[in-house]
Amino acid sequence: MELSNLKSGEQGRVSGIFADNKLKNRLKMCNLQVGKKVKCIRHAPFGGIMIECDGICLGLRKELAKNITLQKVEVNA
């Protein structure tokens, strides 16, 4: 599943990032890398997405979020 398809409140574990090395390194500096758990905070009105990864909130463009794949993680109630 793509990160852009994650709904508000849902969580997933990053399984792949399909971007150039410069962008991968930039995301890595924000602690967004393969194996990390992310949570969707909300979707922006014009297609962006706000996520939380290790306590860091990130805003990503929809185009970038489509290039990040996840395995969905169930949230414990």
Side-chain angles (χ1 to χ4, degrees):
M1 126 182 257
E2 296 173 350
L3 177 59
S4 60
N5 294 332
L6 208 59
K7 295 183 176 112
S8 294
E10 289 184 333
Q11 295 183 9
R13 190 167 304 279
V14 178
S15 58
I17 299 175
F18 303 96
D20 60 24
N21 285 335
K22 184 178 179 181
L23 186 53
K24 281 183 184 180
N25 287 335
R26 194 171 196 187
L27 292 172
K28 194 174 186 178
M29 287 190 307
C30 296
N31 221 11
L32 182 62
Q33 54 190 328
V34 173
K36 292 290 185 174
K37 194 189 312 187
V38 297
K39 178 181 178 181
C40 177
I41 298 171
R42 70 182 191 96
H43 285 268
F46 297 103
I49 184 171
M50 292 287 296
I51 62 167
E52 181 181 345
C53 179
D54 285 345
I56 299 171
C57 292
L58 298 171
L60 302 176
R61 293 176 295 143
K62 187 175 184 178
E63 295 80 23
L64 176 57
K66 285 184 175 184
N67 292 323
I68 299 173
T69 57
L70 301 172
Q71 293 178 338
K72 197 170 177 183
V73 173
E74 294 300 321
V75 180
N76 296 332

